[in-house]
Amino acid sequence: MAKFLFRRLFTMIATALCLTFIVFYLTNLPPNLEKIAKSEAGSRISDAEVESWLQKNGYAQPLLGRYGEWLGVLPGWTATAADGKVTGRCIARGADPAAAPRFCGVLQGNWGWSNVFKEPVSQIIATRLSLTGWLMLSVMALMVPVALLIGVLAGMREGSKLDRTLSTFSIATTATPEYVSGVLFITIFASSMTGLKWFKGSATSAMDDITFENFFLPVLTIALYGIGYIARMTRASMTEVMTAQYIRTALLKGVSFRQVVMRHALRNALIAPFTVIMLQFPWLLNGVVIVETLFNYKGFGWTLVQAAGNNDIDLLLGCSVVAVAVVLITQLISDVGYAWLNPRIRLS
């Protein structure tokens, strides 16, 4: 197990470096840097002035060197103006250059400055990620138990009326996009058209105080889409387990159907859905963009869209680091958990 974890950690670090470098390269293409220069120094500046601004602000350095500076493994750049004023990546505004650290990248906790929100990137991500975190936990608390129950009930008796009904429901929920179900829920339960104003059509107030009234519709919208996918995977796994030889033997020996399901089939049937459930976390982190926009809930997905739309390089890079980390960590937990749940893999 220790050797397995070491290999997985090494692979995770290498993957994280490759993915963050690709994002760094794409966000630092010349057209993007020109937009930054014109947004900061003026939209009508000449090409020569653009080059001068990029030179003064460290953007003219080699790409690999700038990636190392952003990562925090290379010293930050410095520049001396004509009046003798020293500026640099690690020199804060108004600070003494002599007291500035040499390294100031992501590894040191310096994630940069957001040109759009005018705040440190780390502070923005911490705030927005906490908002999305509450949404993710609420969705998982509703989605996972309901999906597992539907999948188990459908897979217990393959081909029965209950199986066909639940399978149809699962397929319908998976085939319905979030923006469709979200609009329908708002129209039915949060507008004056039907007179059923049970919930709020906006989750903006939930950013300060979460209540059932202002938070249930976005949670239901996201959970409904994921329920069908997990339920279908659980049903397929349960169906396969129920046709296994040891299940048939237990039934022939007179063991009740309920005991066979609860003691023998259920645990083995939940091994495969475990991996699928863990993969929902990356999807929830980045896939809630539509729902957050629809319900005006300014979480991580909304912030990612704002960063990409406004060419906010540091914020976009910070969001990519979080997204990559969540994907890799959940994948590691999924692999370890699958090996622990499956005796054949654990013994091998």
Side-chain angles (χ1 to χ4, degrees), residues 2 8 31 41 45 47 82 84 129 138 157 181 190 194 275 295 307 312 324 339:
R8 289 298 299 167
I45 60 176
D47 293 342
L129 192 60
S138 302
R157 298 185 184 275
S181 58
T194 59
T275 303
F295 289 93
D312 197 338
V324 169

Side-chain angles (χ1 to χ4, degrees), residues 19-310:
L19 293 177
T20 53
F21 178 76
I22 292 174
V23 177
F24 188 89
Y25 169 76
L26 294 175
T27 55
N28 282 270
L29 291 173
N32 292 338
L33 299 182
E34 182 179 353
K35 290 180 181 178
I36 293 177
K38 291 185 175 181
S39 64
E40 294 294 318
S43 59
R44 298 183 179 181
I45 60 176
S46 62
D47 293 342
E49 290 173 324
V50 169
E51 293 295 331
S52 176
W53 187 91
L54 294 177
Q55 183 71 36
K56 292 178 181 178
N57 289 273
Y59 289 100
Q61 306 294 328
L63 184 67
L64 284 176
R66 291 179 45 230
Y67 175 72
E69 292 177 359
W70 171 79
L71 198 60
V73 296
L74 293 179
W77 60 270
T78 57
T80 304
D83 57 358
K85 183 179 179 181
V86 179
T87 58
R89 174 181 175 85
C90 302
I91 303 174
R93 298 176 183 178
D96 183 9
R102 293 186 62 205
F103 299 87
C104 57
V106 173
L107 297 179
Q108 289 77 33
N110 184 353
W111 291 41
W113 180 265
S114 172
N115 295 325
V116 175
F117 295 98
K118 307 302 180 183
E119 296 180 33
V121 170
S122 57
Q123 180 178 333
I124 297 172
I125 290 180
T127 302
R128 305 302 179 182
L129 192 60
S130 64
L131 294 174
T132 299
W134 285 111
L135 183 61
M136 291 170 59
L137 291 176
S138 302
V139 170
M140 294 297 287
L142 174 64
M143 178 175 64
V144 173
V146 174
L148 292 180
L149 180 61
I150 292 175
V152 169
L153 291 176
M156 284 171 52
R157 298 185 184 275
E158 184 182 10
S160 63
K161 290 183 178 180
L162 180 62
D163 176 27
R164 292 195 295 270
T165 302
L166 294 178
S167 297
T168 302
F169 171 77
S170 301
I171 295 174
T173 57
T174 305
T176 306
E178 298 99 316
Y179 58 85
V180 174
S181 58
V183 171
L184 289 176
F185 289 150
I186 293 174
T187 304
I188 296 173
F189 299 112
S191 68
S192 57
M193 294 179 60
T194 59
L196 301 176
K197 297 190 67 174
W198 297 344
F199 306 100
K200 291 185 178 180
S202 173
T204 305
S205 59
M207 297 170 58
D208 299 318
D209 182 26
I210 295 177
T211 64
F212 184 78
E213 185 182 11
N214 62 19
F215 207 54
F216 181 71
L217 285 188
V219 171
L220 180 62
T221 301
I222 302 173
L224 192 64
Y225 182 81
I227 282 174
Y229 182 59
I230 299 176
R232 290 168 62 196
M233 295 296 296
T234 306
R235 177 202 174 274
S237 181
M238 189 68 181
T239 301
E240 181 180 0
V241 170
M242 291 300 294
T243 58
Q245 187 63 43
Y246 70 93
I247 296 294
R248 295 178 179 177
T249 302
L251 291 174
L252 291 175
K253 287 184 176 181
V255 181
S256 65
F257 185 80
R258 179 179 179 182
Q259 288 182 329
V260 168
V261 172
M262 298 301 296
R263 293 185 179 182
H264 304 286
L266 190 58
R267 179 181 177 180
N268 292 330
L270 295 181
I271 294 176
F274 175 78
T275 303
V276 178
I277 292 171
M278 292 306 303
L279 294 178
Q280 300 306 303
F281 284 98
W283 166 68
L284 287 173
L285 182 66
N286 300 290
V288 297
V289 176
I290 296 175
V291 175
E292 288 187 349
T293 303
L294 180 62
F295 289 93
N296 198 25
Y297 188 75
K298 300 179 180 179
F300 183 83
W302 179 87
T303 303
L304 181 61
V305 172
Q306 295 299 313
N310 293 283

